[in-house]
Amino acid sequence: MNMIANHPPTSELQALDAAHHMHPFTHNNELEQKGARIITRAKGVTLTDSDGNDYLDAMAGLWCVNVGYGREEMAEAAARQMRELPYYNTFFQTTHVPAIALSAKLAELAPGDLNHVFFAGSGSEANDTNIRMVRTYWAQKGKPEKTVIISRKNAYHGSSMGSGSLGGMSYMHEQGGLPIADICHIDQPHWWAEGGDMSPEEFGLERARQLEKKIEELGEHRVAAFIAEPIQGAGGVVIPPSTYWPEIQRICDAHDILLIADEVICGFGRTGTWFGCNRMGIRPHIMTVAKGLSSGYAPIGGSIVCDEVANVINNCEFAHGYTYSGHPMTCAVALENLRILEEEGIVDRVADHSAAYLAEKWGGLADHPLVGEATTIGMMGSIVLTPDASSRAVFAGTEGDAGLITREHCFRNGLVMRHVGDRMIISPPLVITDSEMDTLVERAWKALDLAHRQLEDEGKMKAA
Ligand code: PXG
């Protein structure tokens, strides 16, 4: 029996899932008690589960389904390529048309002289590539001691040994011996949570200048690169103050270090420009890409590299690569995705219309008594749950309780919205329509009402 085409009922699937499937970032035994939610199909911005319930997916899967679900052209592109050439590698002096076409297309779309692509299977793999590439770059330049990569607390760059080390999630570092050597973290530009009495602008400068302090403390001769997401995604959609990125750019220019922009979430239209770098005015040496590159239809990631770094790396044998570097099917799917984004004007529509519409509607959630602030940039947004907005207070109980309660009410009311601690975040497919955004915000408001009532009933609306 083909179990995918003709699957057993939900309870049986849940039992099999619990018996055999280890979920990422999940306490699997606790999940077994509840039973996993089983998504069976999706179209546009709507997911359907195995019991026939529909959900508006305000997270675009995991920040990736930029063109929306159910695009026939993507399925066709995959099938066509699988028939023609399902696999061949790009090692041993060989290449193939999909990898050539996609690297050329990415060079065209990427800003400045980011003209060279090293393919990977995911964002984590691409960031592992970046670690080895920047260290190899400096070694080739006769500066092998420049190995330290500076990142930020509460950053997310993946969960392999290297990319998980770049990330600044302390609970990840506690498992498995992270971080690896020569990676360190400065504070994040998260004004709401950490800005204290400073204005956002002062705070942005203070946080950016931590980079300069760190470079001076370590010695410029030791520092290879700084890596950051233009806007932190998994950290809670943290939009840095306007002063932050110009100051970071100044510091990177003034010191001899490489700048890596992790565009895994911000890339491919999420902020209303092709890349978060365009939006924030950043000039990186390397961009990490994944997710929206294929709208999640196929696993692919990569590093888009500037002329200077590529010239140095290309002048040696860079002993690095993955079986699926430049996989033909995933490249063909990514190319089709880029064609759809471009030809249907999806990125332009975000810039010219949808981002402003979302900002207005989502901004209205700031009037809810459980909400401290509601912000967006492009098609990503966050709200902060707080017992007292005026003092930016946090809840007295366990951090993340209010977020989890709100998330559960969202699910029950047909909305997928993620929580990061007590922040609720969204990143819907870029193709979401105005009326779907109305529905998203209505359901979010309803979930907030229900969560507010529950928190009051449980005596949890107290500030720490
Ligand atoms: N960089 C960034 C900025 C990311 O957001 C990665 C790298 C790693 O990509 P891969 O393809 O290896 O997963 C990511 C991934 C969440 C969540 O809960 C976010 C990600 C992955 C899983 C969960 O927000 N981002």
Side-chain angles (χ1 to χ4, degrees), residues 56-63 231-234 236-238 265 270 354-355 357-359 361-363 365 374-383 410 415-420 423-430 432 436-437 440-441 444:
L56 195 162
D57 182 10
M59 281 309 297
L62 266 182
W63 320 80
I231 296 141
Q232 284 156 266
V237 184
V238 180
I265 284 177
R270 178 58 55 198
S354 306
Y357 193 85
L358 182 67
K361 296 286 163 176
W362 184 258
L365 294 173
T375 52
T376 63
I377 183 162
M379 298 305 280
M380 57 207 294
S382 71
I383 50 183
C410 288
L415 177 65
V416 178
M417 178 156 77
R418 219 163 98 39
H419 81 112
V420 174
R423 288 171 84 83
M424 306 306 300
I425 58 181
I426 55 161
S427 171
L430 305 184
I432 189 170
E436 287 164 342
M437 285 190 260
L440 188 167
V441 173

Side-chain angles (χ1 to χ4, degrees), residues 6-54:
N6 194 4
H7 62 76
T10 301
S11 57
E12 267 178 60
L13 286 170
Q14 286 172 328
L16 283 170
D17 187 72
H20 305 295
H21 180 194
M22 299 169 80
H23 292 242
F25 284 90
T26 298
H27 190 304
N28 282 282
N29 288 345
E30 277 177 19
L31 177 63
E32 182 173 6
Q33 304 307 311
K34 276 178 80 179
R37 195 173 290 104
I38 300 163
I39 302 299
T40 49
R41 54 180 195 277
K43 181 89 190 153
V45 300
T46 306
L47 304 168
T48 304
D49 73 15
S50 53
D51 292 328
N53 301 307
D54 284 345

Side-chain angles (χ1 to χ4, degrees), residues 62-63 122-124 127 156-158 229 234 262 264-265 290-291 418:
L62 266 182
W63 320 80
S122 66
S124 299
N127 277 326
Y156 190 82
H157 296 295
E229 305 152 77
D262 186 335
V264 168
I265 284 177
K291 295 193 189 273
R418 219 163 98 39

Side-chain angles (χ1 to χ4, degrees), residues 98-120 263 267-268 274-275 278 287-294 300-306 326 330-332 334-339 341-342:
I100 298 167
L102 182 59
S103 49
K105 185 69 200 173
L106 287 171
E108 180 194 316
L109 291 172
D113 67 351
L114 295 164
N115 289 322
H116 314 265
V117 186
F118 196 105
F119 287 113
E263 294 272 1
F268 307 101
W274 274 94
F275 297 98
N278 307 115
M287 293 197 309
T288 320
V289 292
K291 295 193 189 273
L293 168 55
S294 67
I300 183 168
S303 306
I304 313 185
V305 182
C306 71
T330 66
C331 287
L335 264 175
E336 183 61 13
N337 175 62
L338 298 179
R339 187 195 66 71
L341 285 172
E342 209 167 25

